Amino acid sequence: MQQIKFKRSYKFAITTSLYITILFTLLMSVFLYYYFSFLWLPVLVFAIVCFIFSFLIIQFRVQRHIYRRVKTIYDDLTLLESASLTRGAITTDMATLTQEIDKFARDKKLEIETLKIREQYRKEFLGNVSHELKTPLFTIQGYILTLLDGAMNDKNIRKKYLERANSAVERLSYIVSDLDLITKLEAGDLRLKPEVFDIVALIREVFGMVEMRANDKKITITFDRDYKKPVMVNADKERIQQVLVNLIINSLKYGRLKGTTEVSIENLIKNKAIIRITDNGEGIEKNHLARLFERFYRVDKSGSRNQGGSGLGLSIVKHIIEAHDERIYVESEYGVGSEFSFTLEKAE
């Protein structure tokens, strides 16, 4: 067992010894003055001896008693694994001890509050995961049971139900894949592969990937202007493509029929570019903005689930951008539209 050192405090012993010395020296001086002749030398010698004797008694007897009591407090706190109280020496100075105990109490209170928040977050997360997985699983089970009950004999119904079950399986795979990705991002296990590339060209590729979805709602996706020159940035191209896809699809998902989604690239500072995705869709109410990037958080819980997706898209976007040491922003006005923007490092 590690020996705990005793940090002596002499202030109490010196002060108390001084009070005792003054008291007894005054009494002796009065006694000598009335019954004998008053002499400075004997009084001075008595004062010195009295002070030394009082100091030794108080320091090595009284403080030893205090030390034992204080050590009991330290031992009790050590059981609570307080690193701050076991690293240094034990002190019998009450002011220092009070400060350490107060700090310990504040740290423990903060730790308890943090654990409560994490526990609440864990419960919400497990509830959300359970709900998100349950929906496609029950859908798949329902179609399979219907087919087994005799519907598989009808060719048309069999094909339609198998297609719907396949769609539910795809949604399930999206959820599992996104959960795996966001877990790696939060744990820092996903390594980025930065490279220099043209962000304009990448956005054009993403436009092509989401073109069919945009056509379904007759939404026009376009740049704010004609970018004739490339804009070179330094980032993980594959992950930034994922960010752009998620943001543009989110824009299309909540965009209005025959609306627009516009992408712009601007110089933020000398070595930073900011990419903006702006739409004129339904917008987001202010009370939702603070939680928009949380896992599974949905503004419209009923309607958004009908739109499909894993519910993790914006959370993944945030983690990817922050993994690049960059920032993501959102501005929205309900009934007018939304704008998501993020920064990237420009290549020299």
Side-chain angles (χ1 to χ4, degrees):
M1 184 176 179
Q2 184 180 359
Q3 183 67 29
I4 301 176
K5 295 181 180 180
F6 171 35
K7 181 184 176 182
R8 290 180 172 83
S9 174
Y10 297 99
K11 183 178 178 180
F12 173 78
I14 290 172
T15 305
T16 307
S17 299
L18 187 61
Y19 290 153
I20 294 171
T21 301
I22 292 172
L23 175 63
F24 280 98
T25 301
L26 286 174
L27 291 174
M28 183 183 177
S29 299
V30 172
F31 179 80
L32 290 175
Y33 180 77
Y34 281 103
Y35 296 98
F36 301 96
S37 60
F38 180 82
L39 298 173
W40 281 105
L41 184 60
V43 172
L44 183 61
V45 171
F46 174 81
I48 294 172
V49 172
C50 182
F51 178 82
I52 294 173
F53 183 76
S54 300
F55 176 81
L56 293 175
I57 290 294
I58 294 169
Q59 185 65 31
F60 294 102
R61 296 299 301 170
V62 177
Q63 281 220 343
R64 185 64 184 174
H65 174 71
I66 296 173
Y67 166 73
R68 287 172 182 167
R69 297 293 181 91
V70 171
K71 186 177 183 299
T72 302
I73 297 174
Y74 273 85
D75 290 341
D76 292 340
L77 292 176
T78 301
L79 295 174
L80 298 175
E81 298 180 356
S82 172
S84 61
L85 289 175
T86 56
R87 287 176 184 170
I90 293 177
T91 178
T92 56
D93 181 70
M94 292 298 107
T96 303
L97 181 61
T98 302
Q99 290 176 358
E100 291 190 8
I101 297 298
D102 287 345
K103 183 178 182 301
F104 170 81
R106 288 194 302 270
D107 291 344
K108 283 298 173 185
K109 183 179 179 182
L110 181 61
E111 184 179 340
I112 291 170
E113 289 175 351
T114 303
L115 288 173
K116 286 181 178 179
I117 292 171
R118 288 180 178 176
E119 177 64 15
Q120 182 63 31
Y121 179 79
R122 184 187 67 83
K123 288 179 179 178
E124 289 182 0
F125 174 68
L126 289 176
N128 285 327
V129 170
S130 174
H131 184 88
E132 295 295 335
L133 295 178
K134 181 172 63 177
T135 303
L137 282 173
F138 282 179
T139 301
I140 295 166
Q141 185 182 40
Y143 287 132
I144 291 175
L145 289 175
T146 303
L147 290 171
L148 290 174
D149 286 342
M152 62 186 302
N153 296 323
D154 188 319
K155 186 178 179 180
N156 293 328
I157 293 178
R158 182 175 64 207
K159 182 181 179 181
K160 181 171 68 175
Y161 279 17
L162 287 175
E163 286 175 349
R164 290 179 180 178
N166 182 62
S167 297
V169 170
E170 286 181 356
R171 183 183 175 190
L172 193 62
S173 67
Y174 289 150
I175 295 172
V176 174
S177 177
D178 285 351
L179 273 173
D180 180 60
L181 175 59
I182 201 169
T183 302
K184 288 180 179 178
L185 284 167
E186 290 184 346
D189 294 337
L190 190 67
R191 294 184 180 180
L192 299 176
K193 299 175 182 178
E195 60 178 293
V196 175
F197 62 91
D198 179 13
I199 188 68
V200 177
L202 183 63
I203 293 171
R204 288 197 177 103
E205 289 180 18
V206 173
F207 282 174
M209 294 168 63
V210 301
E211 185 178 7
M212 290 183 64
R213 189 184 290 254
N215 291 336
D216 290 340
K217 294 187 70 173
K218 296 181 174 58
I219 293 177
T220 303
I221 47 176
T222 181
F223 281 108
D224 64 322
R225 59 185 174 87
D226 185 18
Y227 290 89
K228 295 180 180 180
K229 294 182 180 180
V231 178
M232 307 305 292
V233 295
N234 184 23
D236 187 320
K237 185 176 180 180
E238 182 181 348
R239 297 303 169 194
I240 296 303
Q241 182 186 68
Q242 190 172 8
V243 167
L244 290 166
V245 169
N246 281 348
L247 289 179
I248 293 176
I249 286 179
N250 189 72
S251 170
L252 299 175
K253 187 185 296 184
Y254 301 103
R256 66 181 61 183
L257 193 66
K258 297 182 180 179
T260 60
T261 293
E262 184 180 87
V263 180
S264 63
I265 306 166
E266 301 174 15
N267 291 322
L268 187 62
I269 54 177
K270 184 178 179 180
N271 65 330
K272 294 286 183 182
I274 184 166
I275 294 87
R276 304 181 190 274
I277 294 92
T278 309
D279 65 64
N280 59 352
E282 60 189 60
I284 306 164
E285 294 178 343
K286 288 185 178 180
N287 60 305
H288 294 295
L289 292 178
R291 300 189 61 188
L292 203 58
F293 294 100
E294 291 181 12
R295 293 175 173 182
F296 297 113
Y297 186 78
R298 297 178 187 269
V299 175
D300 180 6
K301 299 185 183 299
S302 57
S304 59
R305 281 198 168 89
N306 295 331
Q307 300 279 0
S310 66
L312 295 167
L314 289 180
S315 183
I316 289 173
V317 164
K318 181 176 181 289
H319 280 88
I320 291 175
I321 295 301
E322 289 181 348
H324 283 81
D325 292 325
E326 301 293 346
R327 300 290 301 274
I328 184 165
Y329 309 92
V330 57
E331 294 180 11
S332 185
E333 184 176 348
Y334 188 67
V336 177
S338 305
E339 178 183 281
F340 288 84
S341 58
F342 61 92
T343 60
L344 283 179
E345 180 185 351
K346 292 175 65 177
E348 296 179 358

